[in-house]
Amino acid sequence: MAKITMREAISQALMEEMDRDPAVFIMGEEVGVWGGTYAVTKGFYDKYGAARVKDTPIAENAIIGGAIGAAMVGQRPIAELMTINFGFSAMDYIINQAPKLHYMFGGQFTLPLVIRAVGGGGRQLGATHSQTPDAIFAHFPGLKVVSPGTPEDAKGLLKSAIRSNDPILFIEHATMYQVRGEVPDGEYTIPIGKSKVQRAGKDVTIVTYCKGLELSMKAADELAKQGIEVEVVDLRTLRPLDMEPVIESFKKTNRAVVVEEGWKSYGVGSEIASRIYEEAFDYVDAPIIRVAQKEVPLPYNRTLEQAALPQVADITAAVKEVLK
Amino acid sequence: MKKEQQLDLYYQMVLIRRLEERGAELYQAGKIGGFMHLYIGQEAVSTGLIAAREPRDRVITAYRDHGVALNCGISANEVMAELLGKATGMSKGKGGSMHMADTSKNMWGGHAIVGGHLPIASGFAIGDQYAGNDNITICMFGDGATNIGYFHEALNLSKTWGLRVLWVCENNQYGMGTAVNRASAVDEIRRKAEGYGMKNSEVDGMDVMKVYDAAKEALNFVRNESQPYLLEIDTYRFRGHSMGDPERYRKAEEVKKWQENDPIGIFNKQLLEKKVATAKVLDEIEARAEAEVVKAVEFAEASPEPAMAELFTDIYAD
């Protein structure tokens, strides 16, 4: 097991899949000569050349629409959105075209397409550049939405995404590229649409993903020192959603906190809480609490920004609340 | 062009006309749902254009797609079945009037978001460029689609990357009910290509042979030069924008004036004058098209509804 960063894990996944399959290519803003805005594709342009690492104009409709077209005719493009916020400029393609084209034409078109997007707050980029809008995208049948929280999952899930024949939005977090973690040596993939227990416990179930996982694992460490054993279930894929490990854990603990970085209203936490109430109502011993972003556009000022984002202390407080 | 091919083009144009006339009746009878946009008046455009392509060239168009589907070789049976939402339609009754495609005929839809299919057309050409072949993507769209951002992103990319796309603007003078000069800063659409340094031309879309010749020339350019090209084809729809159009925006005299230039009538006259066919032969062709439509309606009416299980199939490929 090697210990590598999230950036290295994603980069390795891309490189391994490009080496394995000549149909795989990358297109996006500054992915080539620049080496990627977050340096994920550093060195790719020199290794694979301009035909496989395509620098595009700043034109999200051309990028995502173009990648959809190339996928429909048999290539396996990986389109990069410099930030998920720029994806709003190409919303028609992400939510209205890619998820529909297979179904609406009776299965004639397949879209082996990955859209990599960098999301999340905490880098003082102001309200339009800092969002965690994952729930919006997860609303649409036909799209798969993946958002890993560890280097191991990032690498294995991205490799699966590139091999998949469906359109997949792969959401990375802007503050997590330096997160380190162990990854298996050699070739491996992780199936899309499978939640995972990242930490075992018996007292409270925390359901989370991506940045929420990092925060929840820290909260779990603190709570353990106080004698509270939380079980952390990482969704990893938001659509299709795998509730089995969540329900299984909840039936054991009877108490849950859902942690996400996006806004609370109409969010991932709302969906998870509803599903628990629907599928395991008889096991509920306390109201489920959602920990999420405050309902404000994210401010630039660091103190204000951090006050709006969910923190470890919010999670520990929520766990204690459901244990009351 | 050989006599047989000219007569086949005549057959295709009459087939489109008859099928859509019958379609309009079925729509009014409540057997066809949703939106339905008729191609009547514009038949020479896709008939001449698609006759000029190689079978390996891809065609993608907007929602006014019944004629394009027939020209690409999709059967009248399947078009009618899809209109009626039947399991035997090429999209299994899940797409309807605006979403007709058959990849085996290189007909890639039928897309109903105005302008939305233009970047996808660029994408086809990216895929073909990446694969190293010289296939051309023929992308058809209306004048109304040239005022939205997609058009400009797609044209810019196609020229910057040297993509083999033939952009075909079917200028039927109105984007829904808004005349071109009320919506576009330039009413000669082809001039928009000049902003991207893209070669372009304009042709009379009521004359199928003129469309064919212009398309041949444009396709040769695209194939040989590895460059996109914009062809503006002037035409007119004789019916409303869709079946529910009150047509308050244009005068009956204007429609009548264009109808005197009926593309089928013009071609009929040409074939007689050039002695390609006698009136009797053309009558027989018309009767054959009529019979094909009657058969298609029977086929579609007798076809089964999609199975309820279809509701949950093809959401994902994996």
Side-chain angles (χ1 to χ4, degrees):
Chain A
M1 300 280 272
K3 201 162 187 182
I4 63 172
T5 64
M6 188 76 102
R7 176 183 286 111
E8 288 164 337
I10 295 167
S11 185
Q12 283 179 12
L14 293 170
M15 206 169 262
E16 286 176 18
E17 292 306 300
M18 287 182 79
D19 288 340
R20 187 186 62 80
D21 185 349
V24 177
F25 66 82
I26 295 173
M27 60 191 284
E29 293 156 11
E30 309 298 352
V31 295
V33 177
W34 188 295
T37 325
Y38 290 88
V40 170
T41 52
K42 195 175 161 203
F44 279 50
Y45 187 85
D46 291 336
K47 180 173 178 190
Y48 298 105
R52 295 191 76 190
V53 188
K54 296 176 183 294
D55 280 323
T56 66
I58 303 169
E60 278 76 16
N61 288 301
I63 297 167
I64 308 299
I68 287 172
M72 285 168 74
V73 299
Q75 307 304 335
R76 306 190 81 87
I78 301 164
E80 181 175 320
L81 286 170
M82 191 184 289
T83 93
I84 200 163
N85 306 279
F86 304 167
F88 298 151
S89 297
M91 214 55 170
D92 186 46
Y93 292 103
I94 303 171
I95 66 174
N96 206 23
Q97 306 274 358
K100 316 289 197 294
L101 290 167
H102 185 66
Y103 186 88
M104 192 164 64
F105 291 90
Q108 292 192 72
F109 301 143
T110 49
L111 281 75
L113 165 69
V114 178
I115 302 169
R116 281 185 51 232
V118 184
R123 296 185 71 244
Q124 288 192 269
L125 296 171
T128 62
H129 275 59
S130 304
Q131 295 165 100
T132 312
D134 313 348
I136 296 174
F137 297 99
H139 190 58
F140 290 85
L143 189 66
K144 291 182 178 175
V145 180
V146 177
S147 190
T150 68
E152 178 182 357
D153 287 341
K155 184 175 176 184
L157 284 164
L158 183 53
K159 283 167 71 79
S160 291
I162 295 167
R163 296 178 191 190
S164 163
N165 292 309
D166 290 308
I168 293 174
L169 179 64
F170 191 90
I171 304 173
E172 301 159 18
H173 199 284
T175 67
M176 292 179 75
Y177 285 113
Q178 298 288 27
V179 167
R180 298 181 81 85
E182 289 192 338
V183 300
D185 297 324
E187 170 74 25
Y188 75 97
T189 59
I190 291 173
I192 288 160
K194 292 283 174 208
S195 304
K196 182 187 179 187
V197 175
Q198 298 277 19
R199 179 189 174 110
K202 59 178 175 43
D203 299 324
V204 175
T205 300
I206 294 180
V207 187
T208 188
Y209 70 98
C210 196
K211 183 71 178 180
L213 178 68
E214 185 189 312
L215 302 174
S216 297
M217 294 301 262
K218 286 180 185 159
D221 285 342
E222 284 188 21
L223 288 161
K225 289 176 200 154
Q226 300 166 39
I228 301 167
E229 293 299 331
V230 299
E231 182 147 293
V232 180
V233 184
D234 179 4
L235 298 171
R236 304 194 292 187
T237 302
L238 299 181
R239 182 182 279 275
L241 183 60
D242 174 21
M243 283 297 290
E244 215 175 287
V246 176
I247 298 295
E248 202 176 306
S249 174
F250 188 77
K251 284 183 175 172
K252 191 170 64 180
T253 64
N254 312 108
R255 297 161 200 275
V257 170
V258 192
V259 181
E260 67 183 307
E261 194 188 270
W263 291 294
K264 187 184 287 184
S265 304
Y266 311 101
V268 174
S270 308
E271 175 65 21
I272 298 299
S274 294
R275 293 282 296 268
I276 293 172
Y277 287 131
E278 284 171 358
E279 295 169 31
F281 187 73
D282 290 346
Y283 296 85
V284 177
D285 280 356
I288 298 163
I289 294 183
R290 294 170 291 164
V291 175
Q293 191 175 142
K294 305 282 188 303
E295 306 277 331
V296 296
L298 219 52
Y300 161 73
N301 174 276
R302 180 154 181 83
T303 308
L304 293 180
E305 184 185 37
Q306 289 302 318
L309 291 168
Q311 305 292 337
V312 173
D314 299 324
I315 302 170
T316 53
V319 167
K320 287 176 184 172
E321 182 67 26
V322 297
L323 279 169
K324 268 186 189 166
Chain B
M1 187 189 289
K2 282 186 181 154
K3 176 184 156 182
E4 291 73 25
Q5 196 185 357
Q6 291 185 54
L7 295 181
D8 182 48
L9 297 192
Y10 187 71
Y11 171 76
Q12 289 180 37
M13 289 169 71
V14 177
L15 180 65
I16 296 169
R17 181 73 58 94
R18 293 290 106 82
L19 183 134
E20 289 203 323
E21 286 169 348
R22 195 73 186 93
E25 290 169 21
L26 291 167
Y27 188 90
Q28 263 136 10
K31 291 188 176 175
I32 295 172
F35 294 145
M36 186 165 78
H37 310 81
L38 300 181
Y39 204 54
I40 290 173
Q42 300 181 215
E43 294 94 339
V45 176
S46 76
T47 303
L49 177 68
I50 289 160
R53 75 161 173 170
E54 297 292 329
R56 67 181 188 279
D57 295 333
R58 307 175 195 278
V59 176
I60 181 169
T61 188
Y63 44 80
R64 204 177 296 284
D65 61 351
H66 313 150
V68 181
L70 292 169
N71 292 135
C72 285
I74 299 176
S75 71
N77 282 5
E78 284 175 286
V79 170
M80 194 55 86
E82 189 63 34
L83 286 172
L84 266 65
K86 296 300 184 73
T88 51
M90 63 289 241
S91 298
K92 302 184 195 169
K94 286 172 160 178
S97 167
M98 304 193 287
H99 307 109
M100 303 217 164
D102 184 342
T103 53
S104 73
K105 305 280 193 312
N106 249 335
M107 162 50 167
W108 292 78
H111 297 266
I113 301 295
V114 170
H117 64 293
L118 277 71
I120 294 175
S122 285
F124 293 168
I126 293 168
D128 283 324
Q129 183 183 60
Y130 190 75
N133 62 50
D134 69 350
N135 298 347
I136 294 173
T137 296
I138 300 169
C139 178
M140 305 167 71
F141 49 90
D143 45 274
T146 69
N147 304 317
I148 196 165
Y150 302 116
F151 171 84
H152 300 278
E153 292 193 26
L155 262 70
N156 180 60
L157 192 74
S158 71
K159 186 63 169 68
T160 308
W161 286 10
L163 301 175
R164 285 195 176 92
V165 185
L166 176 58
W167 301 109
V168 179
C169 177
E170 291 189 81
N171 183 349
N172 67 7
Q173 321 302 323
Y174 293 90
M176 282 192 78
T178 305
V180 170
N181 62 10
R182 293 177 62 215
S184 177
V186 289
D187 52 13
E188 210 181 345
I189 303 292
R190 69 187 190 88
R191 286 176 53 204
K192 294 184 182 182
E194 282 164 16
Y196 301 106
M198 191 184 300
K199 204 168 172 207
N200 60 85
S201 61
E202 190 172 353
V203 66
D204 170 12
M206 305 313 261
D207 185 326
V208 68
M209 295 310 291
K210 284 185 187 163
V211 172
Y212 175 83
D213 290 339
K216 269 281 178 212
E217 199 180 317
L219 287 166
N220 282 337
F221 173 86
V222 173
R223 186 127 33 224
N224 296 333
E225 304 297 324
S226 285
Q227 287 293 324
Y229 186 107
L230 189 143
L231 178 62
E232 180 178 359
I233 306 186
D234 292 307
T235 184
Y236 199 80
R237 57 172 161 71
F238 293 172
R239 302 292 185 94
H241 165 75
S242 64
M243 292 299 292
D245 178 354
E247 293 202 61
R248 288 194 197 97
Y249 52 86
R250 61 184 191 181
K251 295 195 166 66
E253 302 88 78
E254 179 188 303
V255 179
K256 192 161 172 289
K257 190 175 135 264
W258 277 91
Q259 280 174 334
E260 284 163 10
N261 273 326
D262 188 316
I264 294 177
I266 289 172
F267 196 33
N268 181 300
K269 205 169 149 210
Q270 284 174 4
L271 292 170
L272 292 173
E273 280 172 0
K274 289 191 288 180
K275 297 201 189 319
V276 177
T278 61
K280 184 166 170 288
V281 168
L282 297 182
D283 286 350
E284 280 166 10
I285 288 172
E286 287 168 30
R288 189 154 55 83
E290 176 72 36
E292 183 71 13
V293 171
V294 170
K295 188 171 70 72
V297 174
E298 284 170 7
F299 170 82
E301 299 248 39
S303 289
E305 293 277 310
M308 205 41 83
E310 274 295 327
L311 185 59
F312 295 105
T313 59
D314 296 329
I315 299 168
Y316 296 109
D318 285 346

